[in-house]
Amino acid sequence: MLYIQRPSNYIVSLIILLPLTLLCITFLLPLSAYLSNPLVAGSSCVGGTAGNVRAAPAADDDAGHRPEISVLVGVHTTARKHSRRHLIRMEYALQQTPALRGAARVDVRFALCARPMPPEHRAFVALEARAHGDVLLFDCAESADQGKTYTYFAGLPSMLGAGAGGSRPYDYVMKVDDDTFLRLDALVETLRAAPREDMYCGVGLPFHDRAFPPFMLGMGYLLSWDLVEWIASSDMVRREATGAEDVTTGKWLNMGNKAKNRVNVFPRMYDYKSAKAEDFLENTIGVHQLKQDIRWAHTLEHFNLTTLELFNF
Ligand SMILES: *[C@@H]1O[C@H](CO)[C@@H](O)[C@H](O)[C@H]1NC(C)=O
């Protein structure tokens, strides 16, 4: 007599399928959501099905506390600069301390144009995008003065799925060069005290007009989300899309009578001078003109991002 019956095929398939189903739910759904929209992948588990992920408002951090402000930092770079992106990715990841995450959600993304894209760059960029989920690829030609900045700001609302009447995906959107080092905590501290709307922040030029500069230098500047949406919807801005990118952004805002709130952070973002401590300001927000590795090294050393422990035995 058979005391222990063979489990029916039904039970067997249930035993095999159940873990698989759980695996799908816990892993594959977020993964596919992540691939379809890496910007909001952090909050993808909250929503419904994959592929239907909407831009969520600022995600809560680990403690369930919603950071006060959210910033999208778009590093404008070109496809071939894989190793530079690797460095920038690390230094911004290291700055995501619990204190920073408690104060703000700062999402750093790399903004690239899809043209030209030789095959080897395309393959490597695709690897980065899939592995890190921090690449924003825009349909534009890679040249700062040919409208890349326009495409970036104008493309973000639809890329982020920000629909009519919906909550804004970010309070601020930044454009920053890939030869600029940003101190995220100093940036966030400045933004906490800044207006949330109709706001344009950066290093103003010309220097004599401190209170209401006509434009902010291209090394790094921010717009509040309402201005990003305005850029996306304005025919005038579309007609004026090209030109020296930083002057041009100021021109749109001036022509449109926008950005009544201008926050000039001069001189807290500046060009690199030397490795000497006195050539870095204590309240630095950004250091620009970091094209060579050695300049990055000096800057990262100065701001204590490179502490290395020597193992003695
Ligand atoms: C870096 O660390 C040293 C030693 O703790 C400290 O004296 C210095 O002020 C730090 N520098 C900056 C820029 O925070």
Side-chain angles (χ1 to χ4, degrees), residues 183 302-304:
R183 284 173 84 206
H302 178 81
F303 291 108
N304 287 337

Side-chain angles (χ1 to χ4, degrees), residues 69 172 188-197 199 201 261 263:
I69 55 176
Y172 303 104
V188 161
E189 185 204 300
T190 301
L191 293 176
R192 279 163 68 116
R196 298 280 189 272
E197 304 211 329
M199 207 258 343
C201 171
N261 301 305
V263 177

Side-chain angles (χ1 to χ4, degrees), residues 10 23 101 179 208 235 303:
Y10 174 73
L23 187 75
R101 285 189 285 117
D179 63 345
H208 63 258
D235 290 334
F303 291 108

Side-chain angles (χ1 to χ4, degrees), residues 183 280-282 301-304 307:
R183 284 173 84 206
F280 296 97
L281 295 183
E282 198 177 312
E301 291 269 11
H302 178 81
F303 291 108
N304 287 337
T307 315

Side-chain angles (χ1 to χ4, degrees), residues 71-77 109 111 144-145 148-150 152-153 156 172-180 182 187 200-202 216-223 228 244-246 249 269 288:
V71 192
L72 174 68
V73 174
V75 181
H76 285 222
T77 181
R109 301 290 184 259
D145 297 346
K148 176 172 180 174
T149 297
Y150 171 75
Y152 169 67
F153 285 121
L156 279 175
Y172 303 104
V173 175
M174 184 164 198
K175 177 259 154 178
V176 68
D177 282 343
D178 62 3
D179 63 345
T180 299
L182 279 182
L187 176 72
Y200 182 25
C201 171
M216 307 291 180
L217 284 174
M219 60 171 85
Y221 58 87
L222 302 105
L223 296 173
V228 174
E245 75 89 18
D246 48 5
T249 301
M269 288 181 76
H288 181 230

Side-chain angles (χ1 to χ4, degrees), residues 12-306:
V12 170
S13 34
L14 202 65
I15 288 168
I16 293 172
L17 284 178
L18 193 65
L20 269 178
T21 312
L22 287 176
L23 187 75
C24 279
I25 290 168
T26 56
F27 177 69
L28 292 178
L29 277 185
L31 180 70
S32 58
Y34 168 87
L35 290 178
S36 66
N37 192 349
L39 277 161
V40 293
S43 52
S44 63
C45 50
V46 182
T49 48
N52 186 26
V53 181
R54 321 220 100 244
D60 294 354
D61 71 6
D62 304 339
H65 154 86
R66 181 185 295 274
E68 201 182 324
I69 55 176
S70 55
V71 192
L72 174 68
V73 174
V75 181
H76 285 222
T77 181
T78 58
R80 66 184 170 81
K81 296 190 186 169
H82 304 287
S83 57
R84 181 56 81 234
R85 278 196 295 283
H86 181 56
L87 175 80
I88 293 172
R89 194 175 271 128
M90 282 192 295
E91 56 95 356
Y92 285 132
L94 282 172
Q95 293 189 58
Q96 295 277 355
T97 59
L100 182 83
R101 285 189 285 117
R105 171 169 150 240
V106 183
D107 291 346
V108 178
R109 301 290 184 259
F110 294 97
L112 298 168
C113 285
R115 291 173 274 123
M117 189 71 86
E120 71 276 29
H121 293 162
R122 204 213 70 82
F124 297 166
V125 165
L127 277 186
E128 285 180 63
R130 299 187 65 202
H132 301 290
D134 60 3
V135 173
L136 308 177
L137 192 59
F138 292 91
D139 183 13
C140 51
E142 197 60 80
S143 160
D145 297 346
Q146 296 299 305
K148 176 172 180 174
T149 297
Y150 171 75
T151 308
Y152 169 67
F153 285 121
L156 279 175
S158 53
M159 187 179 256
L160 296 172
S167 61
R168 55 189 172 195
Y170 292 96
D171 295 312
Y172 303 104
V173 175
M174 184 164 198
K175 177 259 154 178
V176 68
D177 282 343
D178 62 3
D179 63 345
T180 299
F181 165 74
L182 279 182
R183 284 173 84 206
L184 299 183
D185 52 359
L187 176 72
V188 161
E189 185 204 300
T190 301
L191 293 176
R192 279 163 68 116
R196 298 280 189 272
E197 304 211 329
D198 208 22
M199 207 258 343
Y200 182 25
C201 171
V203 176
L205 261 197
F207 289 126
H208 63 258
D209 198 349
R210 292 280 179 85
F212 202 80
F215 76 96
M216 307 291 180
L217 284 174
M219 60 171 85
Y221 58 87
L222 302 105
L223 296 173
S224 54
W225 180 259
D226 57 316
L227 292 180
V228 174
E229 288 196 318
W230 172 72
I231 288 172
S233 64
S234 164
D235 290 334
M236 179 275 286
V237 175
R238 197 200 331 268
R239 285 193 301 271
E240 303 285 339
T242 60
E245 75 89 18
D246 48 5
V247 183
T248 302
T249 301
K251 187 169 85 176
W252 304 332
L253 299 167
N254 298 335
M255 286 174 73
N257 196 24
K258 296 282 181 184
K260 281 178 210 66
N261 301 305
R262 303 201 179 187
V263 177
N264 191 348
V265 297
F266 173 84
R268 298 176 62 196
M269 288 181 76
Y270 51 89
D271 286 350
Y272 172 98
K273 287 194 209 65
S274 85
K276 288 197 285 266
E278 63 262 33
D279 282 335
F280 296 97
L281 295 183
E282 198 177 312
N283 63 354
T284 298
I285 292 177
V287 183
H288 181 230
Q289 290 295 349
L290 304 180
K291 291 203 172 25
Q292 300 86 348
D293 287 351
I294 190 66
R295 291 186 170 196
W296 273 102
H298 290 153
T299 305
L300 297 173
E301 291 269 11
H302 178 81
F303 291 108
N304 287 337
L305 280 162
T306 54

